[in-house]
Amino acid sequence: MSWSYALRRIGMFVAVVFLAITINFIVPRMAPGDPTAAVLEQLLSRGQQVEGAADIVANYRARFGLDDPLLLQYGRYVWNTLHFDLGYSISYFPQKVESALLQALPWTLALLLTATAVAFVLGSVLGALIAWPRSSRLVRSLAPFLMVLSAIPYYLLALILLYVFAVWTKLFPLGGAASSQSALTFSITSAIDVLHHAFLPALSIVLAGLGFWALGMRGAMINVLGEDYLALAEAKGLRPQRIFFAYAMRNALLPQITSLAIALGTVASGSVLVEVAFNYPGIGYVLYNALRSSDYFLIQGVAFFLVLTVAVAVLLLELAYPLIDPRIER
Amino acid sequence: MHSILRAAGALLAFVGGSPKLIVSVLVLALLFSFGSVGSALVDTELAQPISVKTNQPPSMQHLLGTDSGGRDVLAVMVVGTPQTLRMGVLAGLIGVVFGVLLGLVSGFFGGPADRVISAVTDTMLTIPPLAILLVVAASVRAVSVDMMAVIIALLSWMNPARTIRAQVLSLRELPYVQMARVSGLGNFRIMLGELLPNVIPLAFASFVGAVSGAILSGMALEVLGLGPQNTPTLGMTIYWALLYAAFARGMWWWWGPPVLILILLFIALFLMSAALDEVANPRLRQRS
């Protein structure tokens, strides 16, 4: 891997992270009133419920250092955020924002990564099969159905699955990640319970993503199938399976991986909403609670985490890409 | 006159030749006229809270039942659907205008301008749109439908900018553009007079995509409770329904209609943008 390629990608990553921090810094300051006024107002309106309100106010006064010049405030904000010091949460007090998020992150990552991987692999194979001239008519007739599926947003699909499989037929639980999250142990019953709860949210993400990956793969595959080296492979008398996997699909997958990097942001946004629909205890659920209690700093924390998670994933994908396709390194 | 007729004829022939386009135009026409036709048939005053008896299942009097806030669900749909469409079209329009301008400048001038615009576009594309919208919408708090459209438009220009830039890159090498350049036309005359008319079909295709993306973002903010509190848009109806546990209470007539209308809308917009892609990209036509 050439250094300039890697450096450019890392530069993009740093730019994204700084952009996110800067937006978090600027936006509240563009809203009318000074940044602590909103916090004070919230604290006053719920004065009795919040223990240690004075602590929080003191923390934010120091944090924003309202008398300091703006540039200094900005520098301090960047420094704190880069050290994962995101301040105190109001709704999860006395927890800090970063610890509330770190508790939720494993649930989100497990759900999002598994479901996206399944959707990507299944969708790509299906798309390749649809484009493959030797496929059965049944497979090839799936295309319009997948097109319609790819148009339906994650969240709406989640609501329908929720109604059909949890409310109507009661095959799956209505929400949550386990029957009793505190009683989770490393046992088979617990594992089955967790999978049972994760199935519908994961299915929403898989179904909503399937069509997108299948359509992309079909397009890439059709381009590859026109290439001369495939005709040569066939003339050599290679087995069709070998031509399909090692010659056609392998090359058609390359653009799919590029679009994976581009689509991740949308996928993450969509799955946050799926978590909200299923009360799944990941980042989406934290976000929902934060919004319900106008916990502005937690909202900012969720936004920052979302950007950071996707940026890390995109960076890893882009650094891995030249290993798969050396032509990209320019 | 003759040429206009011929263009209209060609357009009709094209629409007739694409089943995707026929279906999407029909469904969109249905949804866009739903508000005006509906308000002639249904009393829209019933979309106000506490105007009817609460929690009634569908009946002859209330075709889609009533919700827990005392609203007639059919009336809410008649009022809400145009609001959602308005938000999407407005945001998509602003996004596409900015995207086309940036794409033109970036593709035509190349060099440092192109590098800066492309880098910003690519960077913005990898940021989850929800993250930025959340921060902005949560700090603005009380939003109207139009304000939401403007906020969402801030994140709707990247895809149009990318598509238009790619098209301009190949257009600017064509002989007629070289010709214009040699005959001494200024850069802006070339961009607006020669290039812009040729990217209009593509701009329209990405407009449809931008509208769909904007409605998706709007729905995301709304179901999280960050939408316009006093306007019954489709997303806000889903938000209220979930907040009052319409699922567990078996009130399918409350959350069902907005979900169904949104799904129809997304499928129609998707089919239309797929069909328009085939216009802008004739190679795709033989494939399917």
Side-chain angles (χ1 to χ4, degrees), chain A residues 12 16 19 23-24 27 147-148 150-151 153 155-156 159-160 163 167 223 265 269 273 287 291-292 296 303 307 310, chain B residues 123-124 126-132 134-135 138-139 216 220 223-224 242-243 247 255 259 262-263 266-267 270 287:
Chain A
M12 291 266 278
V16 168
L19 192 67
I23 288 172
N24 269 351
V27 169
M147 260 188 150
V148 168
S150 77
Y155 181 73
L156 297 178
L159 288 185
I160 291 174
Y163 180 69
V167 178
N223 277 336
S269 298
L273 289 184
L287 173 66
L291 288 169
R292 294 284 299 272
Y296 194 76
V307 175
V310 173
Chain B
T123 312
M124 293 287 285
T126 60
I127 296 182
L130 190 62
I132 295 180
L134 269 178
V135 175
S139 78
L216 183 67
V223 299
L224 288 170
L242 292 191
L243 195 65
F247 262 102
W255 62 267
V259 167
L262 279 169
I263 287 182
F266 282 117
I267 291 177
F270 177 82
R287 286 181 185 172

Side-chain angles (χ1 to χ4, degrees), chain A residues 1-193:
Chain A
M1 189 189 311
S2 77
W3 283 107
S4 74
Y5 174 82
L7 279 178
R8 207 162 55 227
R9 297 297 136 184
I10 294 171
M12 291 266 278
F13 172 76
V14 173
V16 168
V17 172
F18 263 89
L19 192 67
I21 298 178
T22 309
I23 288 172
N24 269 351
F25 177 82
I26 291 178
V27 169
R29 281 171 177 72
M30 290 188 353
D34 73 75
T36 46
V39 183
L40 284 171
E41 188 186 304
Q42 277 167 28
L43 290 176
L44 282 177
S45 70
R46 57 184 70 235
Q48 311 96 315
Q49 303 156 18
V50 182
E51 292 170 45
D55 274 354
I56 302 179
V57 176
N59 180 287
Y60 280 117
R61 276 204 180 288
R63 207 178 154 73
F64 283 111
L66 287 179
D67 308 322
D68 294 339
L70 211 57
L71 211 62
L72 191 65
Q73 291 184 42
Y74 176 64
R76 187 160 38 216
Y77 188 80
V78 172
W79 180 257
N80 285 339
T81 312
L82 288 180
H83 286 78
F84 277 112
D85 177 4
L86 302 174
Y88 284 98
S89 154
I90 295 172
S91 52
Y92 286 74
F93 195 81
Q95 259 191 332
K96 296 196 72 176
V97 168
E98 60 270 20
S99 74
L101 288 171
L102 280 177
Q103 260 168 26
L105 195 63
W107 293 104
T108 296
L109 284 184
L111 180 67
L112 182 62
L113 291 183
T114 320
T116 308
V118 170
F120 181 80
V121 172
L122 266 183
S124 295
V125 172
L126 210 58
L129 281 174
I130 289 174
W132 188 241
R134 291 165 207 246
S135 300
S136 70
R137 188 165 296 173
L138 182 76
V139 173
R140 296 166 70 83
S141 65
L142 278 177
F145 174 70
L146 286 172
M147 260 188 150
V148 168
L149 203 59
S150 77
I152 304 177
Y154 292 56
Y155 181 73
L156 297 178
L157 211 57
L159 288 185
I160 291 174
L161 290 177
L162 189 62
Y163 180 69
V164 174
F165 293 108
V167 178
W168 193 21
T169 57
K170 296 195 170 53
L171 287 173
F172 289 93
L174 261 171
S179 305
S180 161
Q181 224 176 303
S182 51
L184 277 184
T185 51
F186 279 101
S187 64
I188 296 181
T189 39
S190 275
I192 290 176
D193 188 42

